[in-house]
Every structure is written in structure tokens, then in C-alpha cells.
Amino acid sequence: MKTTWALSAIMMSLSLTACSPSQSTVSTSATATWQQGHLAEFADELMVKYRLVSNLPEEACPADAKADERCFIAEIDFTSPKDMLNGDWEIYFSQMRPVQTVLNDEFNIERVKGDLHRLTPTDQFTGFKAGQVKTVRFRGELWQLSETDAMPNYYIVAKDAKGIELAPQIISSTRVEIDADTGMEVRPYVEAFVDAKRQYQRSDKDKLVWAKPAVLFEQNKAVSVAPALIANSLLPTPQTQVLLDNVKAVSLSQGITLDTQSATDAKLNVDDIQAALARLERIGVPQSENGVKVSFATLSPVDNLNAGSYQLTVADSGIVIKASEPSGFSYGIASITSLVNLNDLTINAMKIDDSPRYQYRGMHVDVSRNFHSKQFLLDLLDQMAAYKLNKLHLHMGDDEGWRLEIDGLPELTDIGSKRCHDVTESSCILPQLGSGPFVDTKVNGYYTKADYIDILQYANARQIQVIPSMDMPGHSRAAIKSMDARYRNLMAKGDEQAAKEFVLTDPNDTTQYSSVQYYDDNTLNVCTESTYHFVDKVITEIAALHTQAGQPLTTYHIGADETAGAWLESPICHDFIANNQYGVTDIKLVGPYFIERVANMLAEKGIQPAGWSDGMSHTNPANMPSNSQSNVWDVVSHKGHQRAHQQVNNGWTTILSNPEVLYFDFPYEADPKEHGYYWASRGLNSKHIFSFMPGNLPANAEQWLDIEGNPFEADDRPQVDENGKQTSGPIAAGKAFDGIQGQLWSETLRSDQTVEYMIYPRLLMLAERAWNKPEWEVPYQHDGAIYNQSTQHFSAQMRQQQATEWQKMANHLGHKELAKLDKAGIEYRVPTVGAIIDDKGVLTANIAFPGLQIEYKEQGKAWQSYLSPVAVKGPVEVRAITPDGKRKGRTLVVN
């Protein structure tokens, strides 16, 4: 292979020297032709480096830019170890922030679709010379604030002598690697950020500080090592917990034995609590004839406040769990699991009376953008049940992938579940999000009908409802391209009637639009009946799978968000308006019409419709089913409380899903090496979630800062327009939110390991806030109020109580709970270490979760355990270790 490549390079060089001496550039017409082996070797040896230069508008934006315009400058270096003078090639790569302008002459970049870009040589291209760096400098839209923004798997495409396209080849230097210590993806082709101002500042008003070791050290000083606090701690915190006097601790070292007769008397089928018992066994407490007796009883009606309520009594005579349904009994066992001290498997004698704050305690997972395995979902369901969460919102259809097999529509998964280099999109949809050109990658895939039934049954056994979601009418590109291929295939067979059955677009629509993710072809045409036939078909088939699994479909989430101005030039929509069949007289209202029609279609099937708050806000509440659900994803610092309150007042089931506190695809800390998107937050750690006051959204303005580290104000008083009409205001007396939900969007999260890193341990704090209403939460004022950093609704006493409870929670995580995640094989994020070296050369370190072991490493020496301040020489590396010692946190350098 190498001999062939070298000979080809010599031939190309000879061909070039045969040209006229006055010719200073290489023509883009081939001086030599590609062969598959040549292309593969070139892709394997070409070195790529991606570098962010600046986010500063004065450096990155053009001279005539508007005052508030946002731009960035980046560079891509290409270095070949050998001459490659041919100009007949294309390199495809994902660039989430679109390229606006190429700032040098030898290359051109154009956006193909979404984030997929194509780089080609211009007629100024002089070829790749051995060892010579070729730099592509370009201006992009908005900003790049993370090293993980640079997506992997660039690939090269070329044609052979006959003009036939060769198999694309991934440029090897752009593949991700796995860090041996953390198990996380790393991008070796990305240059590390080194300039906080030019590379990590979002604007001239941005006061957010890079979370380097000294910054983390100051943050972590709020907690200290206090193992005594966790003797009786459990998560989530119960409503009441009373220790029993003069009763010795109960040892579970011999396991437990179930009183099956009492279970029968309490109308409990022991099969319904097997999952909870399995988690208890995993930490060393199995069922045993010699174990502590566990009895069951029915909770009295006066104590059965909400579904999931339970009473737990632990005494030397045995353990008694009272509840009224399987979830309550399971949660009682979950509390035992949380209370157990792993060192000696004991629990102090106590009585707990407990009931959840919210009936909806959810977690949303996007498997559309990047697919995630069935096993990942099963593991997630197990942990959700362990922490008393009860709703899994499973997002399976979006622009970048359709992830569920639908009977009768095989194209949805044959084509829509795969991304590959097929520009006709006949066998797959175009690559996005760094997926690369090939089908056989883990970011592609789908759940078979049998898989989905397994997931539903696994959830059912853990008292968790699965809420499926295929986003529509926007975010529907995978479905559209799948149905387009179906249409072409059936038309080619002469079956026009079948071909038109599920068409989702108007072929004559000339509307020009761009979605938030830069698609111009991702929206269902809402004026054609075939679209509704498709929607009905999908819902009917999903409902059938739920019935087979024994968990009837009771809520379906249609998305309804971010519809990007489609249909304006659709002849079908113009005819729809002209005919006025459904009373829609304005083409701008066909979007709300779609949501209202599908919502009522669901209601007629006995299914609650759900959608995201922006799309739901466009509807007429009078046209919507009264039990509609809205997930509020508005940003609190951008007046997000206003739409939330409006939708509560509509009488809808309103679920808080606010990004700056509940989007787990955002970075944990303000550090460009942390994974995730960051459009609403660059530092969403566990403490931040713990601090959330969901019962009083605007009150969070007293304790939070916005994305740029600045204070903000939330005005919850009634607001009126110039005509005296109220546009926003407080929640009406007697109404309240129905629950909260964590979100995990997967655009930047490619592997199951990365997703677990992003979800845990934040999921535990989600569970805490969904279950327990803290005493320090500011009471809501139904008359309205203003909240900011100067108002004092969040009193000093409340702040101190919050700090005291966080001290206990942080120690519970570090000393007790993370070890249980280790036993479950969950690859949670190990926190980065805070540290300083004083002017005497003494290293002092701390961590967000006291109890975790810290290590440090001086240059040229081995890692050592950090136990107390220690004298060191030179820069020092620090990291934390999981309780089981198997994984390490990300290493930071302390200077």
C-alpha cells in the first residue's frame, strides 16, 4: 500500500513539473486520479488540528457588524506527511455553529444541511506538501465556548478515474479517544483553550469565571467533612423522620426475610417489589431465612396523602412498611437501601412518614440525536426507581434520527435510524453531529418492537410510566426523509395510492426557512391529510406496543416546539386556507391548528396530549383538551416564569423543565473541557439543582445569576399592554405546578458513558427536589412580587438553613450514596478537585462531596493520597477517585 501511495505521489509531482513554469497554482482538475487505497492511506495519515481563536466581537466580527452581533474565529490545520497535490476531493465535517466566511484563499466551506459542512479546494489550492501546515481560517456564527464543540469524524470523498465516487474515508486524526482514567471521550484534534478572555468570554458583559482549581476551592469551602451528619440520612429527604429512643441499631448483615402473609393481607404482590429488593441485595442485604423480618401493612386513608406515600418503622423487633400501592411499598424498601451504612449494614431505629411533593417526578432522555442503548435505559430506570422518580419521557423522533420500529412503516428505521454518506438519502439520512459516513456506528440504531416492550415492562416493574415522544411538526426531518424514500420506492413500483398515503411534505412548497438547528426541510406540512394519517398510524402502533407490554399509553408527547416558519408558500396550505374547512383563515395559524388537532386526536383515544411550552403557548386553550400537559422549558433569567404561570392558569398539567437548572446536557462547571451545550448555563452542578425553588420560580432571582454571571430581576406582578390587557401575572390562588423533569438532550453526547456522566449525580438532586419541599423555599405570593438580588424574600435564615442542609447532602453523597452507584455500575461524574498552593508551597485541597478520596501528583512522581495540607514543589496535578477506586475524576493542574 505504501509503495503504491509513494509511486502515485511521484506521478502527481511529475505531472505538476510538466506544467508551464509560469503556472503558480495547481488546477482543481485532477493531475492524477484517486484509487481507494490512496484515499484510505491519505485519510489515515492526514493530521487535523482544530483551534478556536477568539469569541471577542471586535476581533471576530466583520468591521460593518451590528453592535450586538456575535461571531467567532476558528482555524483548522491540515498536515500531510507526504505530498498530495490532487485538488479533486471533498472533506465533510460537522460544525454546529455555521461557517459564515472563509478567511483565506485556498479553501472553500459550504454548509450542506444542518451542521454538515463541505470543505473543498479552490483554484488557488497549491496542494498538500510533506510536513507543511495548511490552515483554514473561518468566521462562524455566535460563539464557541467549549472544546467539545469541535465534532469528530471528518471524512474525505473523491472519485476514481471513471468518475465513480470511492468509499468515503474517516480522517483518523479526528476520531475521539477514551481517557483511561475517566472513561470519557476526549478529542485529541482540538487544541486546549488557554486564553480565558478571548476563548471563554461570551461578551464584554460576561463575568462568569473559569472554574479552575482556585475557584473550585472557594466554592467547596461551603462544605466540610462531617460524617456524623449521615448516620440517619437518606435521599430523597423524607417528610418526617423520628429516631426511636432506647432502641439499638438494627443490623442487616444477615439480610432480610419477608413476611409473605402480611404482604397478602396488605394486598401486596411481592413480585411488584422485586426490583426494589434486588437493589437492596446489590448493596449486600439479600433475602435470607436468618434475616431481619420485614412485614407489610395497609396505610390508613388519613396517612395516604399521595400515590407513593409510605410509612417505614425500623426497630429491633423488625421492619414494617405501610403503603397503599406497589410504589409506596417499593419506596419504603428504597429508603432502607438509602439508609444502610455500607460499612456495617446497620440502620438506626426510627419511624418515617413520607409522601412525595409532586406526583410527576420525571426524567427526559433524547435518544434521537445520538442513539443510546437499551441497556442504558434499563440501568436508568433502575436508578430512577431507587430515587423515587416515576416518569420516563423518552424522546425517540427528531431531525437526526427515528429510534422506534413502527409496524407497517419499515422505512422509519431502515432509513431514519441511520446516518451515512448518501447524498440522495435513499438508504440513510445525512451525517450530523460528527456521526461520520458509515452506518455501523453506535450513534445509529433503534429499538425493535420487542426492545420497546422490554423497556416498558422493566419500567412497569419499577412503577415508572414511559411517555413516548416523536417531535412534530418541526424537528421531523428523519420521518420526512424516510417517508420521501417510501414514496419514491412505491411510485417506482407503480403504486401511486400507497405512495401518497403517508407523504409529509408539499413538493411545491417554496417557503424558505431555517430551524434553530439550521434545517430548511424538517417540518411536516400540516395542511395535508396524509400528515395526520401518518401521525395517527404512529400513535396507534405505539399504543399497541404499550398494550402488549401491560402499560397502557396514557400520555403522548408531540413536542410541538421550535417550528421555524414553514408553510407560508405551500400551495396545499393556501388551498387549505381558501377552503376554510376547519375554520383556519390565517396561514400563520396552521401551526397551532396542527397542535390542537393532534391533541384532540389523542384525547379521543383516551391519551393525554403533551408538548413543550413554546408550541403549547401558540394554541387557543379553548380548543385544547382540558387535561393537556405542558413542559415549561423557558429560562427563568429571561422571564421564564411568565409563560409557566400562564400555562398553570390555563388549567393544564404543568411540568417544570427549566434549562438553567434541569438540562443535564449542560456542563457541570464553567470549564471548556466539560461536555455539553451551554446556551442557558455553563455551570449546572448538583448544588445548583439542590438550591432550586420550584414552587416559586421568580424567587430564584434572589439566589441565581444569569449565564454570564450577572444578577437578574423577575417581576411577577400583573403586566398589561397598551390596551390594558393583562399579558402576564402570578399564579392564581389554588393552582400550582404538577411536577418537575430533568432533561438530557444528546446532540453533543455520543456514548452511553458520556450520558451517564452527564445524568449522575444530578439525577439524585432532581429526585430530592421532586420529592421533598424544603422549609427554606420562599413561599409563593399569589398577589405577585418583584425578586432580585436586593429583595429579601429569601431571608438570611432561609439561606443559612439551605446551606446547612446542603452540608448534610454533600456529605451523604460523598460518604454514602456514590458508593451505591459504584455497586450499580453507574459511571457518574466524579467532581473535579478544588486546590490552592500558598506562598509557602503548601497544597490545600477540597472537594464538593466530602468523603471522596483526593490524590495529588508532583512532576516526575507517582500519585499520592491527599489527607491534609502538604508541602509540594512546582505545579501539581489533583484528582478525585470513586469510592470503589475504579475510576478517577478529571485531572486539574494547580500552579
Side-chain angles (χ1 to χ4, degrees):
M1 180 71 73
K2 292 186 181 300
T3 303
T4 305
W5 167 259
L7 179 59
S8 176
I10 292 170
M11 292 176 65
M12 284 190 283
S13 179
L14 290 173
S15 177
L16 179 64
T17 56
C19 297
S20 168
S22 63
Q23 186 174 347
S24 59
T25 62
V26 178
S27 171
T28 55
S29 60
T31 57
T33 57
W34 288 99
Q35 296 178 23
Q36 190 68 63
H38 302 159
L39 189 66
E41 188 168 356
F42 179 66
D44 191 50
E45 295 184 343
L46 182 67
M47 295 303 300
V48 174
K49 281 291 181 183
Y50 187 98
R51 174 173 53 258
L52 174 68
V53 178
S54 178
N55 283 302
L56 298 178
E58 61 270 25
E59 293 184 353
C61 293
D64 59 352
K66 298 178 181 178
D68 60 348
E69 189 165 344
R70 300 296 306 152
C71 318
F72 68 90
I73 297 291
E75 295 176 339
I76 307 174
D77 292 342
F78 295 98
T79 309
S80 174
K82 302 183 179 76
D83 287 354
M84 199 290 286
L85 308 180
N86 195 348
D88 187 16
W89 50 265
E90 300 173 331
I91 290 177
Y92 290 81
F93 66 104
S94 286
Q95 180 73 30
M96 290 190 298
R97 304 296 190 192
V99 174
Q100 293 178 335
T101 308
V102 179
L103 301 175
N104 49 10
D105 296 331
E106 289 193 77
F107 301 96
N108 180 57
I109 299 175
E110 60 181 321
R111 189 171 61 83
V112 179
K113 190 73 64 177
D115 73 10
L116 185 64
H117 287 67
R118 177 170 51 230
L119 183 148
T120 53
T122 69
D123 58 5
Q124 302 296 307
F125 178 63
T126 58
F128 292 108
K129 307 293 178 61
Q132 183 183 76
V133 178
K134 289 281 189 181
T135 299
V136 185
R137 185 180 178 93
F138 64 88
R139 175 182 294 118
E141 182 177 307
L142 297 176
W143 47 71
Q144 289 194 338
L145 300 169
S146 171
E147 293 173 19
T148 62
D149 281 345
M151 287 293 185
N153 297 322
Y154 290 33
Y155 64 93
I156 188 168
V157 172
K159 295 179 179 178
D160 65 12
K162 297 180 180 179
I164 299 173
E165 188 169 278
L166 301 168
Q169 298 294 314
I170 293 179
I171 297 173
S172 296
S173 61
T174 65
R175 296 179 186 270
V176 296
E177 296 179 358
I178 304 299
D179 182 90
D181 288 335
T182 65
M184 293 296 292
E185 285 188 353
V186 292
R187 290 159 164 76
Y189 53 90
V190 180
E191 290 192 6
F193 285 19
V194 294
D195 188 329
K197 181 176 178 61
R198 300 179 74 216
Q199 294 178 306
Y200 201 55
Q201 186 168 300
R202 190 171 179 262
S203 75
D204 56 0
K205 298 178 182 178
D206 191 349
K207 295 182 175 60
L208 191 71
V209 179
W210 192 330
K212 293 185 178 181
V215 173
L216 293 172
F217 183 79
E218 288 300 313
Q219 293 176 359
N220 294 341
K221 286 165 66 174
V223 297
S224 57
V225 179
L229 292 176
I230 67 162
N232 305 299
S233 64
L234 71 152
L235 197 168
T237 302
Q239 282 195 343
T240 64
Q241 180 182 21
V242 179
L243 295 181
L244 302 181
D245 295 333
N246 303 316
V247 180
K248 65 181 180 179
V250 176
S251 172
L252 301 182
S253 59
Q254 298 300 310
I256 59 171
T257 181
L258 302 185
D259 182 347
T260 55
Q261 183 57 52
S262 68
T264 300
D265 294 343
K267 297 183 173 60
L268 169 65
N269 185 336
V270 176
D271 289 343
D272 291 333
I273 60 172
Q274 286 304 315
L277 293 169
R279 290 191 298 273
L280 187 58
E281 181 173 4
R282 188 167 58 215
I283 66 168
V285 184
Q287 294 184 59
S288 167
E289 292 182 359
N290 300 320
V292 174
K293 183 179 179 181
V294 177
S295 301
F296 305 93
T298 302
L299 196 62
S300 67
V302 70
D303 294 319
N304 188 26
L305 303 176
N306 292 305
S309 299
Y310 69 94
Q311 288 181 351
L312 172 65
T313 302
V314 179
D316 50 7
S317 59
I319 295 173
V320 178
I321 302 173
K322 294 183 179 181
S324 298
E325 70 283 307
S327 63
F329 289 111
S330 293
Y331 296 159
I333 296 169
S335 290
I336 296 171
T337 306
S338 186
L339 284 163
V340 168
N341 184 323
L342 289 180
N343 294 324
D344 58 13
L345 298 180
T346 61
I347 304 178
N348 287 328
M350 66 181 71
K351 181 177 180 180
I352 291 172
D353 283 272
D354 206 3
S355 186
R357 176 180 189 176
Y358 291 122
Q359 284 301 288
Y360 188 112
R361 306 179 300 280
M363 184 66 205
H364 161 282
V365 177
D366 164 24
V367 297
S368 299
R369 272 57 179 274
N370 285 310
F371 183 66
H372 298 292
S373 70
K374 172 183 167 182
Q375 186 59 52
F376 157 75
L377 287 180
L378 301 183
D379 292 343
L380 173 63
L381 286 164
D382 205 43
Q383 294 307 314
M384 288 176 62
Y387 298 103
K388 307 183 177 85
L389 298 172
N390 66 346
K391 310 285 185 181
L392 174 63
H393 178 173
L394 191 54
H395 185 82
M396 295 181 287
D398 212 296
D399 295 321
E400 295 83 8
W402 183 282
R403 307 303 184 185
L404 179 62
E405 182 182 16
I406 299 297
D407 195 34
L409 296 177
E411 297 86 0
L412 286 170
T413 45
D414 288 349
I415 296 166
S417 74
K418 300 179 291 188
R419 302 198 291 264
C420 71
H421 183 73
D422 175 1
V423 295
T424 68
E425 298 188 286
S426 298
S427 61
C428 62
I429 56 178
L430 285 171
Q432 299 289 323
L433 306 171
S435 58
F438 304 127
V439 168
D440 58 345
T441 171
K442 289 184 178 180
V443 303
N444 289 335
Y446 66 93
Y447 307 117
T448 66
K449 291 181 289 185
D451 287 336
Y452 189 62
I453 290 171
D454 287 346
I455 291 166
L456 292 172
Q457 291 177 336
Y458 201 85
N460 222 26
R462 288 152 181 79
Q463 297 84 45
I464 294 172
Q465 177 190 3
V466 176
I467 300 173
S469 175
M470 273 65 182
D471 214 333
M472 54 184 74
H475 288 282
S476 296
R477 191 173 190 276
I480 289 169
K481 296 304 171 184
S482 298
M483 293 300 96
D484 284 352
R486 179 183 186 275
Y487 174 83
R488 292 193 299 268
N489 292 338
L490 289 172
M491 286 296 287
K493 296 176 181 178
D495 192 347
E496 182 176 358
Q497 181 178 355
K500 292 181 176 180
E501 186 178 8
F502 297 114
V503 170
L504 301 178
T505 58
D506 178 355
N508 298 313
D509 187 355
T510 59
T511 308
Q512 294 184 1
Y513 67 91
S514 177
S515 73
V516 175
Q517 285 79 23
Y518 308 104
Y519 295 108
D520 58 4
D521 57 355
N522 78 332
T523 306
L524 306 180
N525 188 289
V526 300
C527 304
T528 178
E529 287 302 304
S530 57
T531 289
Y532 297 96
H533 190 28
F534 172 81
V535 173
D536 184 68
K537 169 69 172 175
V538 168
I539 293 170
T540 298
E541 295 300 335
I542 293 176
L545 295 176
H546 277 253
T547 299
Q548 290 180 57
Q551 186 185 98
L553 180 61
T554 56
T555 302
Y556 181 88
H557 202 287
I558 64 174
D561 60 316
E562 296 183 332
T563 302
W567 321 305
L568 297 180
E569 303 301 329
S570 163
I572 291 177
C573 280
H574 284 292
D575 289 345
F576 177 83
I577 296 296
N579 292 333
N580 194 21
Q581 183 178 354
Y582 294 96
V584 182
T585 58
D586 186 342
I587 199 165
K588 295 180 181 179
L589 298 179
V590 295
Y593 160 76
F594 171 87
I595 300 169
E596 294 166 6
R597 180 171 172 179
V598 173
N600 283 286
M601 178 193 303
L602 287 162
E604 289 170 4
K605 295 175 182 288
I607 302 169
Q608 180 189 41
W612 297 104
S613 54
D614 58 330
M616 297 292 280
S617 70
H618 298 151
T619 66
N620 181 347
N623 295 337
M624 292 290 288
S626 59
N627 71 332
S628 297
Q629 175 182 307
S630 177
N631 288 83
V632 178
W633 68 287
D634 300 81
V635 180
V636 175
S637 61
H638 291 172
K639 302 181 180 180
H641 66 283
Q642 293 182 350
R643 184 142 59 193
H645 293 177
Q646 178 192 55
Q647 299 195 351
V648 169
N649 289 337
N650 285 343
W652 293 342
T653 301
T654 307
I655 309 302
L656 296 179
S657 308
N658 305 89
E660 72 267 56
V661 66
L662 296 171
Y663 270 37
F664 297 171
D665 51 297
F666 287 172
Y668 277 88
E669 303 289 356
D671 187 322
K673 288 192 182 299
E674 287 289 340
H675 286 259
Y677 265 172
Y678 43 76
W679 55 266
S681 175
R682 288 183 279 166
L684 205 176
N685 58 27
S686 296
K687 182 180 179 182
H688 186 63
I689 302 168
F690 179 86
S691 75
F692 186 31
M693 294 187 280
N696 192 338
L697 275 186
N700 289 289
E702 293 202 10
Q703 62 170 341
W704 291 352
L705 301 174
D706 68 13
I707 189 175
E708 295 188 338
N710 294 301
F712 64 94
E713 181 172 276
D715 188 347
D716 194 32
R717 298 173 301 176
Q719 309 291 317
V720 297
D721 61 19
E722 63 274 10
N723 299 317
K725 180 181 178 181
Q726 182 169 318
T727 56
S728 67
I731 299 174
K735 294 183 181 294
F737 300 120
D738 296 277
I740 66 174
Q741 176 177 278
Q743 277 66 229
L744 191 288
W745 299 100
S746 67
E747 290 99 328
T748 66
L749 311 177
R750 297 165 40 78
S751 68
D752 289 357
Q753 292 81 2
T754 305
V755 170
E756 286 197 342
Y757 177 100
M758 301 301 284
I759 290 177
Y760 305 97
R762 293 190 280 203
L763 178 132
L764 280 60
M765 294 303 95
L766 167 69
E768 173 69 11
R769 284 288 69 85
W771 185 273
N772 174 261
K773 181 179 181 179
E775 293 183 9
W776 44 261
E777 182 174 289
V778 177
Y780 186 71
Q781 300 182 54
H782 290 281
D783 293 332
I786 294 178
Y787 302 87
N788 57 45
Q789 297 286 314
S790 299
T791 53
Q792 298 295 318
H793 303 289
F794 190 34
S795 68
Q797 181 180 358
M798 291 173 173
R799 292 172 188 269
Q800 181 56 53
Q801 189 175 6
Q802 183 192 71
T804 299
E805 292 188 13
W806 172 246
Q807 166 87 334
K808 179 179 178 180
M809 182 61 69
N811 274 272
H812 178 89
L813 291 169
H815 285 99
K816 202 172 187 180
E817 208 64 40
L818 297 184
K820 294 170 184 176
L821 292 181
D822 284 344
K823 289 182 177 295
I826 299 298
E827 297 189 33
Y828 56 88
R829 179 184 185 264
V830 181
T832 43
V833 174
I836 57 170
I837 299 175
D838 65 19
D839 54 7
K840 296 181 180 179
V842 175
L843 171 71
T844 306
N846 59 18
I847 197 161
F849 305 142
L852 292 182
Q853 183 182 350
I854 298 173
E855 290 187 330
Y856 72 98
K857 181 177 181 291
E858 296 178 90
Q859 288 184 330
K861 296 184 179 180
W863 285 99
Q864 302 179 64
S865 294
Y866 173 86
L867 302 175
S868 61
V870 58
V872 295
K873 292 183 179 179
V876 173
E877 294 177 292
V878 291
R879 69 184 184 189
I881 304 176
T882 56
D884 65 3
K886 294 180 180 179
R887 292 188 304 114
K888 282 79 176 178
R890 190 163 52 82
T891 296
L892 299 182
V893 177
V894 191
N895 293 303

